[in-house]
Amino acid sequence: MPDARDVTPYDALLLLSFGGPEGPDDVVPFLENVTRGRGIPTERLKEVGQHYFLFGGVSPINDQNRALLDALRKDFAEHGLDLPVYWGNRNWAPYLTDTLREMVRDGRRRILVLATSAYASYSGCRQYRENLADALAALESEGLELPKIDKLRHYFNHPGFLEPMIDGVVRSLEELPADVRDGAHLAFSTHSIPTSAADTSGPVEGHGDGGAYVRQHLDVAKLIAEAVRERTGVDHPWQLVYQSRSGAPHIPWLEPDICDHLEERHAAGVPAVVIAPIGFVSDHMEVLYDLDTEAEAKAQELGLPMRRSATVGDDPRFAAAVRELVLERAAAERGQEVTPCALGALGASHDLCPVGCCPARAPRPAAAGADSPYA
């Protein structure tokens, strides 16, 4: 492990997230931000927004990011890291451009970015990098001195991300009735994306069916299932499933959908299911609605005992993992030899996204990668 306190050359960490509405009046403007450029009428956005209105128009993601900020700052302070942590969103306040402007005015010149997405994909990585490039272009137009920005590598297989999820699955199994517990099926759930986006996720040499997006999720699911077997003595069958599909019905997306999967498992005689939302860092709206509302209703309709395990959220082990990732990247930038921490068959992801990694539908500048216009 590199020096436990030396974060040079970096002088700030930016927590970069999706954002979400914080009241009923925010829902449609938020969705307009998310869908900007697609020409979706307001009435359709109001229909989509019903998921948020069911919860008072408030997405939990912002409060969850505030909790993660507190956890990161606490961990850094306890371990002597002199690294301020800022927060910016893609689609709602605090907006990314405003946060970067604040950081520049605070004198920050070498910024590390932690995105609240652990896996490779266009929407989970490159789109964040495009947003960073847009924000830098806005600051450049204002005549501000631009900082150098790097993005932390994908952390899907870091022990500090995996261990809280393993604990969550074990707890969920323990909550099931004893007579169905050992026969319970594990459904590892993540966000569905178009198959074309999955196939081109990750570096070009790895493109193919499912790309890095599917391979990384399968590796995480396997690691968790094996750890659960070691802890419980039971080898639970498992499958990677998907949720939160959107978009035109004629475009192929990753399947099976979680609700279809519950029906299929029930028909096969499975006595219970634990859903583990491994694709999500925290319990935001897609977890609360697609799993805790829709999937829960489907399980009740089927009479199928179901539990949903916790996401990582602000678990101290995840905050410690971020600290380790920061120190690892800082040491590498200083030219030191580093052994990245990663479990499973895939090893540690690249520090710098290569050219052609998770390509956009239409070419756009993206920061913090090998093809960045902002060196």
Side-chain angles (χ1 to χ4, degrees):
M1 192 67 197
D3 188 302
R5 296 186 181 185
D6 189 357
V7 296
T8 56
Y10 297 107
D11 54 22
L13 177 69
L14 169 62
L15 175 65
L16 177 55
S17 193
F18 193 81
E22 302 206 74
D25 293 341
D26 296 343
V27 173
V28 171
F30 162 73
L31 293 173
E32 288 174 340
N33 288 341
V34 174
T35 61
R36 193 172 306 282
R38 301 183 201 172
I40 299 176
T42 300
E43 290 308 310
R44 174 58 183 151
L45 294 179
K46 289 180 180 177
E47 293 175 17
V48 174
Q50 291 306 311
H51 295 182
Y52 291 95
F53 293 128
L54 285 174
F55 296 88
V58 178
S59 168
I61 193 171
N62 284 339
D63 277 345
Q64 289 161 3
N65 281 326
R66 293 183 182 103
L68 179 56
L69 276 174
D70 288 343
L72 291 171
R73 288 166 177 161
K74 180 175 184 290
D75 180 272
F76 288 6
E78 289 176 348
H79 291 84
L81 267 68
D82 183 17
L83 192 71
V85 186
Y86 295 75
W87 168 36
N89 289 325
R90 287 170 47 185
N91 299 298
W92 202 249
Y95 288 103
L96 170 59
T97 301
D98 295 336
T99 300
L100 273 183
R101 184 184 297 111
E102 176 189 358
M103 297 176 81
V104 168
R105 289 175 174 168
D106 286 348
R108 311 305 175 193
R109 295 294 176 262
R110 288 295 304 269
I111 297 169
L112 263 177
V113 174
L114 168 69
T116 54
S117 175
Y119 302 86
S121 70
Y122 171 74
S123 57
C125 183
R126 185 175 178 90
Q127 193 169 16
Y128 282 98
R129 294 175 49 228
E130 291 175 352
N131 296 142
L132 285 166
D134 291 343
L136 289 170
L139 299 188
E140 187 174 38
S141 71
E142 297 170 12
L144 295 175
E145 182 179 351
L146 299 187
K148 177 171 170 43
I149 294 179
D150 293 320
K151 179 178 174 292
L152 289 172
R153 66 178 171 88
H154 303 301
Y155 47 84
F156 63 93
N157 55 4
H158 194 287
F161 185 67
L162 291 166
E163 289 165 2
M165 293 191 291
I166 294 166
D167 286 350
V169 173
V170 171
R171 282 195 299 271
S172 294
L173 285 167
E174 291 171 346
E175 292 170 0
L176 286 169
D179 60 335
V180 299
R181 186 179 303 145
D182 287 353
H185 173 89
L186 308 181
F188 294 104
S189 187
T190 190
H191 206 302
S192 184
I193 61 175
T195 56
S196 58
D199 293 347
T200 56
S201 59
V204 172
E205 62 271 16
H207 288 178
D209 291 347
Y213 186 75
V214 171
R215 283 193 290 277
Q216 289 171 0
H217 280 89
L218 286 172
D219 203 42
V220 167
K222 184 173 183 287
L223 285 165
I224 295 175
E226 289 174 347
V228 169
R229 183 185 66 239
E230 291 174 3
R231 293 195 191 181
T232 65
V234 179
D235 190 7
H236 292 274
W238 61 269
Q239 186 169 340
L240 180 62
V241 300
Y242 302 93
Q243 61 177 88
S244 313
R245 181 200 161 117
S246 60
H250 68 280
I251 297 176
W253 283 54
L254 294 173
E255 296 178 336
D257 175 77
I258 178 60
C259 289
D260 294 339
H261 180 68
L262 291 176
E263 288 187 340
E264 188 273 334
R265 290 291 81 202
H266 178 257
V270 167
V273 172
V274 168
I275 301 176
I278 61 172
F280 305 90
V281 171
S282 63
D283 289 4
H284 55 66
M285 184 56 67
E286 284 152 319
V287 175
L288 292 186
Y289 185 79
D290 296 321
L291 298 183
D292 294 355
T293 305
E294 282 197 329
E296 174 65 27
K298 175 59 68 175
Q300 290 185 9
E301 173 193 322
L302 297 169
L304 179 66
M306 188 203 88
R307 297 292 185 275
R308 194 270 291 174
S309 67
T311 51
V312 172
D314 60 344
D315 190 289
R317 290 167 293 184
F318 181 47
V322 174
R323 169 171 42 87
E324 292 174 6
L325 289 167
V326 166
L327 292 169
E328 172 194 300
R329 183 61 182 273
E333 288 295 307
R334 296 193 302 269
Q336 294 178 229
E337 186 174 343
V338 175
T339 302
C341 185
L343 301 177
L346 299 181
S349 294
H350 46 260
D351 278 337
L352 191 68
C353 292
V355 175
C357 192
C358 305
R361 291 178 289 272
R364 288 180 55 194
D371 56 354
S372 172
Y374 301 99

